[in-house]
Amino acid sequence: MSYRAPWWLPGGNAQTIWAAKCSRRHAGAAPRWRRDRWSTPDGDFIDVDHAVYESRADAPLLVLFHGLEGSSESQYAIAFADFASRNGLAFAVPHFRGCSGELNWAPRAYHSGDHQEIDWLLSRFASLNPARPLIAVGISLGGNALLRWAAEWGEAAARRARAVAAVCSPLDLAAGGHAIGRGFNRQVYTRMFLSTMVPKAMRKWQQFPGLFDRDAMLRARDLYEFDNLFTAPLHGFKNTEDYWARASAKPLLADIRVPALALNALNDPFVPASSLPRQTEVGHHVTLWQPAQGGHVGFPVSHGPLGLPGHVLAMPEAVGAWLLQHC
């Protein structure tokens, strides 16, 4: 992807925040959604939003896995829905547990390395849409989980999906976790995430009293502490270090056997450039795009005579075109 940020948005933080808060996300009408609730094998549920528009019965299905605390209302989901509608694709956003606006039922949530959940979801999509080629994109946390799935399932993943892409994913979770816990990131992004994650965790504690240390959770001030109290123990990890090490996709990228794209801006405030994989580390099935600018799921583009207002349609266009090459 060849990308250059607008002159009036210097730096990764500006490109990240403006894209999330101020950008135009769709060229045509805003997407409309139809929601399905899927029952999971462990007695829980996942809500899936399908974009409502006409597409050919044999057109590809693009599945988007959202990022931390994301949903079908996230700016990137709307932008990818716009791309899908303009290109005649079916489009769906499965919500990770607890992210659809209703608390899930089981004593668990979601995490960066949940390749079993990804496999169950993609298997369900494939069985419900056998005539449609399946392609998938994951954003940030969702992209790490998607590439973990591609690596863990190897040839089986290649038979399931035509191609996958990860956008701005912290493929080295420890590097990303420490980066978001420092300085400006800690004051802005960490507070933003914890403002929704902690209340949801407390509601989960009300469902299952004693599930974790409630008082310690109320004192949590960064994602390291949150993961140590909640994410790691609820999903089978010993602690934060164990979770970040075992859930990271980077060490397994060479095992991927399906065409896979990893897009990371070098100025992403969440993902240190030094932690990104090199082409020699990933094998020939994986393509790396690492532009100098873009921020975290930003990639805003100027529009109009003065460069304002801007939009975030260029990244979905580039990633979507790459995925379609493999259909």
Side-chain angles (χ1 to χ4, degrees):
M1 179 181 180
S2 176
Y3 173 75
R4 186 172 182 175
W7 63 267
W8 45 273
L9 282 174
N13 287 311
Q15 292 155 26
T16 299
I17 295 170
W18 189 91
K21 300 296 185 182
C22 306
S23 63
R24 183 164 59 90
R25 295 98 188 272
H26 49 87
R32 294 185 299 113
W33 304 104
R34 173 180 58 83
R35 176 161 292 185
D36 288 341
R37 176 159 291 186
W38 292 356
S39 297
T40 63
D42 62 347
D44 206 349
F45 70 90
I46 286 179
D47 287 331
V48 180
D49 282 357
H50 305 267
V52 178
Y53 50 77
E54 294 295 327
S55 63
R56 288 174 41 178
D58 60 349
L61 168 62
L62 173 57
V63 178
L64 181 140
F65 295 100
H66 62 76
L68 184 65
E69 294 298 275
S71 73
S72 61
E73 297 305 311
S74 298
Q75 92 275 4
Y76 51 78
I78 294 172
F80 268 101
D82 184 82
F83 166 81
S85 67
R86 287 185 286 107
N87 287 271
L89 313 180
F91 183 71
V93 180
H95 290 86
F96 291 124
R97 302 195 197 196
C99 290
S100 65
E102 183 176 336
L103 195 65
N104 64 303
W105 300 329
R108 57 155 295 171
Y110 64 103
H111 65 88
S112 296
D114 199 354
H115 58 88
Q116 294 96 340
E117 193 91 295
I118 299 290
D119 185 67
W120 182 79
L121 285 163
L122 290 178
S123 297
R124 182 79 179 264
F125 279 117
S127 66
L128 293 173
N129 304 273
R132 295 188 183 276
L134 182 62
I135 51 180
V137 59
I139 308 298
S140 195
L141 173 150
N144 184 82
L146 180 61
L147 293 189
R148 272 299 307 268
W149 168 79
E152 292 282 356
W153 296 81
E155 295 293 345
R159 292 191 294 270
R160 178 79 66 218
R162 300 291 181 88
V164 298
V167 176
C168 296
S169 297
L171 304 175
D172 179 337
L173 291 172
H178 290 304
I180 203 171
R182 294 192 292 260
F184 180 87
N185 290 351
R186 183 185 183 92
Q187 296 304 314
V188 177
Y189 306 120
T190 294
R191 286 186 176 184
M192 176 190 70
F193 286 128
L194 291 182
S195 70
T196 59
M197 294 166 66
V198 170
K200 283 202 295 189
M202 298 310 297
R203 290 166 58 200
K204 185 62 64 178
W205 190 92
Q206 291 174 345
Q207 282 182 316
F208 300 95
L211 187 63
F212 54 84
D213 187 331
R214 179 181 181 276
D215 292 337
M217 176 62 70
L218 292 173
R219 296 192 299 269
R221 292 296 178 265
D222 57 31
L223 296 185
Y224 181 96
E225 295 176 358
F226 183 91
D227 285 344
N228 215 41
L229 291 164
F230 186 85
T231 312
L234 265 62
H235 300 102
F237 302 99
K238 291 186 294 186
N239 50 35
T240 297
E241 287 87 354
D242 184 48
Y243 164 45
W244 287 355
R246 290 171 53 199
S248 293
K250 182 180 177 181
L252 301 177
L253 294 178
D255 296 333
I256 291 176
R257 295 295 179 265
V258 60
L261 171 66
L263 167 60
N264 292 92
L266 297 180
N267 70 345
D268 187 331
F270 296 6
V271 183
S274 60
S275 72
L276 296 177
R278 297 184 295 271
Q279 193 65 53
T280 54
E281 299 175 293
V282 302
H284 69 275
H285 290 91
V286 179
T287 298
L288 301 178
W289 288 354
Q290 295 176 354
Q293 299 178 314
H296 187 73
V297 201
F299 303 101
V301 177
S302 292
H303 180 70
L306 298 179
L308 291 168
H311 62 77
V312 289
L313 303 177
M315 180 272 287
E317 191 76 36
V319 172
W322 187 91
L323 289 168
L324 289 178
Q325 290 177 359
H326 302 280
C327 286

